[in-house]
Amino acid sequence: MWKSILLAGALATSPFAAHATTTAQMAYLLPMTIGGRVTADNVHQWPAVYFESRFTGPSVKLLFDNENSNFNVIVDGKPLMILQKPGSKVVELGKLGDGEHTIRLEKRSETQYLTGRFVGFDTIDQPSPLLPPPDRARQIEFIGDSLTVGYGNTSAFTQCTPEEIFETTDSQQGFGVLTARHFDADYQINAFSGLGMVRNYDGREHPKYHMPMLYERALFDDPTPAHQPDWHPQVIVVGIGSNDFSTPVRPDEPWGNEANLRADYVKTYTAFVKTLRARNPNAFILLTTLEGEPEGYISGTDAVFNAMTSGGDTKIDRITLPVLDYTGCNSHPNTRSDARAADIYIKYLEAHPQLWQGK
């Protein structure tokens, strides 16, 4: 899916490492290919969204309205720079050489309670722009929690402040993105740190959120359903539940004990997978857990898988990832672990090429 926008007027700008300018000229926003969940005007909140375009000439501008996210900028397939919380700026990239170029903007960070907007790519003198890169034939989706986000995965330390967690989280180095890139697939990383299927971390985190509710949305606090008519993943990987069983259930919680929590988890998770199946009748669904995780998470996921297969679903499987190296922020997996997990997914999909449905 791509779109082209004509923007009249100017965005406020300030000096920036690449080159920032103010402009009162008419800006022709280039057509873009967009990956991940965004609104119609490119407001985003989920991790790992990305924007791609093509242009001719030695320069291009990136127009932001985002004080809350960090981004990778990639030109002609090569990393160029990291933009940290660009705010309301027009960032100009110059001296790129004549001829045709591709440009890609990737969100690195996680923004649980804040949103941002990427206005678009601009080359003022190209009212007849090139078409953007086409949508990829393959699509893969990962649904999960902090492990899927890539929470603090580039950190050299296990103890991190909230700001350090933000700065060292790079969803583009998470196992989901690494897997997708290997197969040249478009991807969605629909994940939220601390979230569970029915109970969030310690039973206290993010009290107004849970995965079945957020999954329907493009923005977490906006109940408007995500609009993505062109999203038909061949593979959906679901790994969520470690937060549900992260700590013992307290007597004052709705479940009262772990047996009731497990029953609610299995019921809700099964309904969630059935919804995925109804919307994606041809997709192959992988239910995953990690070795060493709480028993309720592992056996509960087993129960969901058994419920789906006993109900006749043949496009589903259950895999277990090995124990990973938890040396990232707050004892989360680091990028080496992300690469190791990605390798397991890659080998699984290479052993089952039919899952891409001939694409």
Side-chain angles (χ1 to χ4, degrees):
M1 179 181 68
W2 63 271
K3 55 186 176 180
S4 179
I5 306 170
L6 181 66
L7 179 70
L11 291 180
T13 63
S14 61
F16 197 75
H19 182 60
T21 63
T22 59
T23 175
Q25 302 180 58
M26 191 73 74
Y28 291 93
L29 297 188
L30 301 177
M32 294 189 296
T33 300
I34 300 173
R37 294 182 173 183
V38 302
T39 66
D41 56 352
N42 301 338
V43 178
H44 52 82
Q45 194 166 16
W46 289 98
V49 299
Y50 55 93
F51 307 86
E52 298 177 291
S53 191
R54 296 169 62 233
F55 63 97
T56 302
S59 65
V60 65
K61 295 179 180 179
L62 289 69
L63 285 66
F64 290 94
D65 185 10
N66 192 327
E67 299 177 347
N68 307 311
S69 302
N70 293 343
F71 298 91
N72 297 326
V73 179
I74 299 169
V75 176
D76 297 333
K78 298 179 180 179
L80 182 66
M81 64 188 308
I82 296 173
L83 292 176
Q84 296 177 303
K85 299 180 180 180
S88 297
K89 295 178 180 176
V90 178
V91 178
E92 183 172 4
L93 307 179
K95 299 182 179 180
L96 301 176
D98 295 329
E100 296 183 2
H101 300 282
T102 60
I103 185 164
R104 178 179 170 103
L105 182 75
E106 303 176 334
K107 182 181 175 185
R108 298 167 55 95
S109 49
E110 182 177 22
T111 49
Q112 295 180 325
Y113 294 98
L114 300 168
T115 64
R117 181 183 179 219
F118 178 58
V119 181
F121 302 106
D122 167 32
T123 53
I124 290 176
D125 58 348
Q126 293 188 46
S128 299
L130 302 174
L131 292 178
D135 292 330
R136 294 164 180 83
R138 292 175 172 177
Q139 298 179 337
I140 187 169
E141 179 173 345
F142 288 80
I143 301 169
D145 50 31
S146 56
L147 302 184
T148 306
V149 168
Y151 176 106
N153 58 348
T154 70
S155 176
F157 307 98
T158 57
Q159 299 301 313
C160 302
T161 66
E163 183 61 25
E164 288 169 339
I165 294 168
F166 175 83
E167 293 296 342
T168 60
T169 293
D170 185 0
S171 296
Q172 302 297 335
Q173 294 191 61
F175 58 75
V177 176
L178 297 179
T179 303
R181 285 178 180 160
H182 179 85
F183 293 102
D184 190 29
D186 279 323
Y187 55 85
Q188 289 192 6
I189 307 299
N190 296 321
F192 190 110
S193 295
L195 210 65
M197 186 58 67
V198 297
R199 180 180 185 256
N200 298 337
Y201 180 75
D202 194 31
R204 303 175 189 270
E205 294 291 314
H206 319 297
K208 63 180 179 177
Y209 296 149
H210 58 279
M211 179 53 76
M213 177 188 77
L214 293 191
Y215 184 76
E216 302 297 321
R217 304 176 176 185
L219 304 177
F220 303 148
D221 289 322
D222 183 348
T224 304
H227 181 67
Q228 43 187 4
D230 299 322
W231 185 246
H232 307 290
Q234 293 94 16
V235 180
I236 302 174
V237 181
V238 189
I240 188 167
S242 62
N243 289 310
D244 295 80
F245 301 95
S246 56
T247 57
V249 177
R250 296 183 300 277
D252 63 335
E253 291 189 78
W255 305 275
N257 58 61
E258 184 161 326
N260 290 336
L261 170 62
R262 184 185 181 281
D264 191 19
Y265 173 78
V266 171
K267 177 183 177 181
T268 304
Y269 195 171
T270 302
F272 182 76
V273 177
K274 287 182 177 179
T275 298
L276 292 177
R277 169 59 67 223
R279 295 178 182 174
N280 305 276
N282 297 318
F284 193 84
I285 299 174
L286 275 174
L287 305 183
T288 71
T289 55
L290 280 167
E291 286 183 12
E293 290 293 325
E295 191 278 336
Y297 172 31
I298 294 173
S299 66
T301 303
D302 289 339
V304 174
F305 175 70
N306 292 335
M308 295 302 296
T309 55
S310 63
D313 196 329
T314 60
K315 300 176 182 177
I316 191 168
D317 203 356
R318 168 82 171 84
I319 64 173
T320 300
L321 299 177
V323 174
L324 302 176
D325 183 1
Y326 295 97
T327 61
C329 276
N330 297 336
S331 299
H332 277 70
N334 57 24
T335 52
R336 293 188 302 275
S337 292
D338 279 320
R340 184 182 177 196
D343 188 58
I344 293 170
Y345 289 122
I346 289 167
K347 288 179 178 176
Y348 183 94
L349 293 171
E350 286 181 336
H352 302 83
Q354 72 278 9
L355 301 185
W356 295 114
Q357 302 170 23
K359 297 182 179 179

